[in-house]
Amino acid sequence: MGIIMTSLKKNLVYNMAYQILVILLPLITAPYVSRVLGAAGLGTYSYVYSISYYFGLVGMLGITNHGSRSIALYRTDKVQTAQTFWNIYAIQFISTGIAVFSYTIFAFVLFNGNKIVAYINILFVISYLLDINWLFFGLEQFKITVIRNTIIKVATACSIFIFVKDRNDLWLYTLIMALGASLSQIYLWMNVHKFVSFCKPEWSEVKKNVKPVIILFIPAIAYSIYKVLDKIMLGAMSDMTQVGLFDNAERIVNIPVSLITAFGTVMLPRISNLIAAGDSNQIKKYNAISFRYFTMLVCGAAFGLAGISNILAPVYFGDEFKGSSPIIFGLSFSLIFMIWANIIRTQYLIPNKKDMPYVISTLFGAAINISVNLLLIPHLQAVGTMIGTILAELSVFCVQYLFTRKDFPTLQYLKSGIIFFPIGALMGIIVWIVGQILGPTIITLIIQIILGAFIYGIGSLIYLIAIKDDIFISMFKKTFHINANSRLPKHRSV
């Protein structure tokens, strides 16, 4: 068990380190790109990217989740792992090959927007043909993916500063982003031989993987409706400036999501493996830890972003993006439902192969999002898209909860996290008032962030001490080198 926990901690460290990099680099490049390309330029990139993303997504079907889960189940058997990989990749090669061909026809024949940007994004769709992240996730070889992504992300950020100089360089920005996506996948292929040998796909086994891949594709496409299609709808029903305002707001709000995604990526294969081993006690422990700590994190992020939204947008992106402020404010609260649903999905539904509740919840969320977008975008533009996203995330969580409430005690897990809501609300109100008093300057933003972190950190610290949280006390002892005979309160089981 000690080896397992050490491995899990290392994987979490690798993923968290990478996600911190993912957070820091956009924080550095976003203000520059926003001012150089402007709202309309960013909106054009986001609009065309969203379309190319759809072609890639359709090509990938539900291979990412099914592949990771399948590899995790057989990773102790090298022969079975290799056969599983090539059987699943055979499906991916065919489906993504069709996607690349279809997008190329679309870009050259049917698309009426910025043709150059559309042509360049063919490279982005090709990256899906090469995407085998799911193999390394299933093997829990996160170090390789982290090293690969770190190199590519740093190179991409440097290239943006070096080559993108004015609004005419939108095509260069697109090329840099598309090349980064393609090269990162090529790097993974250079390491495949270390883990799996080549096996000719067995078509009888390939056919067996088609059904679960398609089943998991339905929630993937449905989820994308309120994460990607909303920007396509916004662009079609409004203009590129509104897409730019919404896209930048969403980029900011998605920063804390990347940390949760890293945790879910690590936990999915681990929970799948524990289910195969029948270790229900360890699974319950992981679930309880996840809900408590990520409710703590997401409440801090949600109320914090809402509190600084009126200062963040104009100071960070420039005055041209003042319209992003109310969108950041609203989207920040969608984080809470998004993270709760993510935990249920990656730590219960997918590992236990309960795919239908996942499918139905995302279809329901997609239906809500499309309906609200059609109703509100013509009148409220980007704000209407924001409202659609919030209601979609809420509905997905509610449907998943209704399906799992008997076997997965979500409310019981959440009880220990409810206190973070008033702590977060107090912090958010205080930093908002500070922003109103001091006005939109970089100094104000820094003061808000430091003050908010202090208030929320102290409040959370007091609570964790009060409930005698195991993990916190263990970390406290290690940090201050306190031995087991010290007079700290006894641990409470999670």
Side-chain angles (χ1 to χ4, degrees), residues 36-38 41 114 116-117 163-174:
V36 170
L37 298 181
N114 191 312
I116 300 299
V117 172
F163 298 109
V164 181
K165 298 297 182 183
D166 56 45
R167 303 197 175 196
N168 295 321
D169 290 335
L170 175 61
W171 71 274
L172 269 175
Y173 177 74
T174 306

Side-chain angles (χ1 to χ4, degrees), residues 128-192:
Y128 284 93
L129 179 70
L130 304 172
D131 186 357
I132 52 170
N133 279 284
W134 50 271
L135 168 65
F136 294 90
F137 292 161
L139 293 172
E140 296 195 35
Q141 293 293 330
F142 294 99
K143 182 178 180 179
I144 292 175
T145 59
V146 167
I147 292 174
R148 176 277 311 256
N149 286 331
T150 299
I151 294 170
I152 296 297
K153 291 291 184 183
V154 172
T156 298
C158 292
S159 298
I160 289 171
F161 285 117
I162 293 170
F163 298 109
V164 181
K165 298 297 182 183
D166 56 45
R167 303 197 175 196
N168 295 321
D169 290 335
L170 175 61
W171 71 274
L172 269 175
Y173 177 74
T174 306
L175 180 62
I176 291 168
M177 300 301 287
L179 278 175
S182 299
L183 292 174
S184 66
Q185 305 305 339
I186 292 172
Y187 176 87
L188 285 185
W189 276 99
M190 295 168 61
N191 290 276
V192 168

Side-chain angles (χ1 to χ4, degrees), residues 54 221-234 237 246 250 331 334 361-378 382-396:
Y54 254 95
I221 195 71
Y223 181 73
S224 72
I225 286 176
Y226 54 93
K227 297 306 292 181
V228 181
L229 183 62
D230 51 4
K231 281 178 276 193
I232 297 176
M233 294 177 69
L234 180 60
M237 300 168 71
F246 182 84
E250 191 177 53
L331 287 180
S334 70
S361 67
T362 49
L363 285 174
F364 192 80
I368 292 291
N369 185 256
I370 291 176
S371 301
V372 174
N373 282 347
L374 290 172
L375 183 65
L376 297 183
I377 287 177
V383 173
T385 308
M386 172 201 76
I387 295 171
T389 300
I390 295 171
L391 294 178
E393 295 289 2
L394 172 61
S395 64
V396 168

Side-chain angles (χ1 to χ4, degrees), residues 270-286:
R270 176 51 52 90
I271 296 294
S272 297
N273 200 254
L274 288 173
I275 289 171
D279 194 345
S280 59
N281 290 331
Q282 194 67 17
I283 292 172
K284 290 178 181 178
K285 180 179 180 180
Y286 284 147

